[in-house]
Amino acid sequence: MPRLFSIGRSLSLRKSSTVSVAPQMQRAVIETLEDRQLLSSYYVSTTGSDSNAGTLSAPFKTIQKAASTVQAGDTAYIRGGTYREQVTVPRSGVSGKPITFKAYNGEKVVVSGADVVKNWSVNSGNVYKADQSWDLGFGKNQVFVDGKMMIEARWPNTSLDVSRPVKASADSGSWGGQSGTIYDAQLKGKAAGVFNGAYIQVLPGERWVAQTGKVNVSSDGKLTYSLTASLSSSNDGGVKEGTPYYLTGKFTMLDSAGEWFRDPSGKLYLWTPASDSPNNRTVEVKKRAYSFDANGRSYINIEGLSTFANTMRIGSNSTISKVDAKYLSQFTLVSNGWVEGNRDSGIIIAGHNSVVKDSRIQYSAGNGIGVQGDGNIVTNNVISDVDYAATDTAAVRTTGKNIQVTWNTMYNAGRSIIKHDASPNLKILHNVLHTGGLQTGDLGAT
């Protein structure tokens, strides 16, 4: 007669006609199950509250609250809207159980690094003013009107196309290591001293990389300046005919639509592209560096989000996918164009065996993606309008071994499109690369 008994980890009883059971075993034996973790989903909405339970009907208000709540294997679903916060991920997932941050049901989620500036009043003419209390430091502040980056007041004036800036061109000059002199007919008629104390960005010699410094003395048709680092030997000869440069950092340069200036007192001045009141526009100013900072964490997945005026940093065994990232990193001061922005700009992979895929990455003063570990993969992305500060950065910059850069489309780079340093066994396959070297005279597609 068949007996009932339990096998494996099943809690049910099973009939068998082939197994003989001793009399002392003629009862159901239930084997203990291994420990299991109940995986959870949490929800975030701009209309929620961080005192809620984080359910779909009672969501959290901030992504940070969800990040502080989720455990390995959990997913934070983010409802549509704009979240003005920087999310620091406090813990890692584990193998097979990543922590995931994901747009809910394909809704449009924007994690913004900028805050809105309101209450504008006329300063003079088409220039308006408002209070802006925060300051990231000269060269790192960034102003947007209706989602488009404006230009910090400068001479000569340029367009809003950050990848193709208009620059002055020296007629001749001299070079002395960390100091230089520029002679330029465009400077004639400018009052003596009008540019004293301004910042200068210059691409000396063969225009390998940009450098910035301070104008010491400006006069009719001439200016002298000092740099913070001496790169004359690398840049082959310093200032000469055709050397490109521009000046910034003085309120008197705010003389064209699309320009702005912030003074040390915290007053922001703006001339909108349409020469109208900024009160009719959405004016935002960058305040936070990261949308998600998961540095030192592992098994973190970020999927289907948009970011604005900030970037992401991930560690090992993590994935960024289907992300739309605009205006990742901003800097205009370049003490050393060979190193500025190399390791702290663009989406940063600061670990091993991570992936950035299926994403759109656009507008960065430095890198589009910076890969800093082993075994990482960058695949099927569109990356453009990077390195507009004209440094030794790129659409993708790699440091590490066994990296794969595949099936990407990359274009509009100030210098190189892919830059690889100490990257043995690097695989660059099936990419479309074009339009590099928009500002420099030395570059490589790779």
Side-chain angles (χ1 to χ4, degrees), residues 91 100 134 160 267 284 312 326 345 352 371-372 393 444:
R91 65 184 62 85
T100 300
W134 63 95
L160 298 181
K267 193 71 71 176
E284 300 167 279
M312 298 180 180
K326 288 185 172 68
S345 65
H352 310 295
V371 185
Q372 300 175 11
T393 53

Side-chain angles (χ1 to χ4, degrees), residues 42 44 50 60 62-71 74 76 85-91 99 101:
Y42 295 92
V44 183
D50 282 351
F60 298 136
T62 66
I63 306 171
Q64 183 62 62
K65 174 63 176 179
S68 300
T69 304
V70 291
Q71 303 292 326
D74 292 348
E85 56 177 304
Q86 176 170 307
V87 181
T88 302
V89 181
R91 65 184 62 85
I99 292 173
F101 300 90

Side-chain angles (χ1 to χ4, degrees), residues 33 97 166 201 215 225 236 249 256 262 278 304 319-320 419 441:
L33 289 167
K97 295 180 180 178
V166 175
Q201 191 221 58
V215 175
Y225 61 91
D236 189 24
S256 179
R262 185 187 185 276
T319 300
I320 294 173
K419 180 65 188 294

Side-chain angles (χ1 to χ4, degrees), residues 413-429:
R415 195 169 191 265
S416 298
I417 298 177
I418 300 177
K419 180 65 188 294
H420 36 88
D421 293 332
S423 297
N425 201 30
L426 170 67
K427 295 182 179 179
I428 302 175
L429 304 170

Side-chain angles (χ1 to χ4, degrees), residues 30-268:
I30 299 176
E31 188 174 300
T32 303
L33 289 167
E34 78 273 19
D35 290 338
R36 289 180 179 167
Q37 179 183 12
L38 180 64
L39 305 184
S40 300
S41 296
Y42 295 92
Y43 298 83
V44 183
S45 171
T46 56
T47 60
S49 170
D50 282 351
S51 61
N52 285 345
T55 63
L56 182 59
S57 59
F60 298 136
K61 184 176 181 61
T62 66
I63 306 171
Q64 183 62 62
K65 174 63 176 179
S68 300
T69 304
V70 291
Q71 303 292 326
D74 292 348
T75 298
Y77 290 100
I78 307 167
R79 302 298 306 268
T82 298
Y83 297 81
R84 301 185 187 277
E85 56 177 304
Q86 176 170 307
V87 181
T88 302
V89 181
R91 65 184 62 85
S92 299
V94 298
S95 179
K97 295 180 180 178
I99 292 173
T100 300
F101 300 90
K102 185 176 183 179
Y104 175 77
N105 200 29
E107 294 180 2
K108 177 72 171 179
V109 175
V110 179
V111 185
S112 176
D115 281 0
V116 175
V117 174
K118 299 181 178 180
N119 302 318
W120 295 87
S121 60
V122 175
N123 182 68
S124 64
N126 292 313
V127 177
Y128 287 72
K129 61 184 177 182
D131 292 326
Q132 183 220 321
S133 58
W134 63 95
D135 181 15
L136 298 182
F138 186 85
K140 295 184 177 181
N141 293 311
Q142 200 170 19
V143 177
F144 305 90
V145 174
D146 296 337
K148 191 171 184 64
M149 175 181 157
M150 300 294 102
I151 302 298
E152 191 163 10
R154 58 185 280 170
W155 180 91
N157 294 327
T158 186
S159 73
L160 298 181
D161 183 352
V162 296
S163 290
R164 297 170 177 82
V166 175
K167 298 184 181 182
S169 179
D171 295 329
S172 62
S174 60
W175 182 265
Q178 285 182 242
S179 62
T181 300
I182 286 176
Y183 298 92
D184 186 353
Q186 296 178 84
L187 295 169
K188 288 188 176 296
K190 304 293 183 184
V194 68
F195 293 138
N196 288 6
Y199 289 95
I200 181 172
Q201 191 221 58
V202 60
L203 279 93
E206 300 305 314
R207 299 185 291 122
W208 289 355
V209 290
Q211 298 171 256
T212 55
K214 276 289 193 77
V215 175
N216 299 319
V217 179
S218 65
S219 57
D220 189 25
K222 173 186 173 182
L223 57 83
T224 62
Y225 61 91
S226 298
L227 302 176
T228 54
S230 177
L231 302 181
S232 58
S233 60
S234 298
N235 279 337
D236 189 24
V239 178
K240 58 185 180 181
E241 182 180 1
T243 293
Y245 72 98
Y246 73 87
L247 308 174
T248 187
K250 295 184 75 74
F251 177 74
T252 54
M253 296 176 184
L254 206 175
D255 59 358
S256 179
E259 289 190 331
W260 62 272
F261 180 83
R262 185 187 185 276
D263 69 25
S265 72
K267 193 71 71 176
L268 179 64

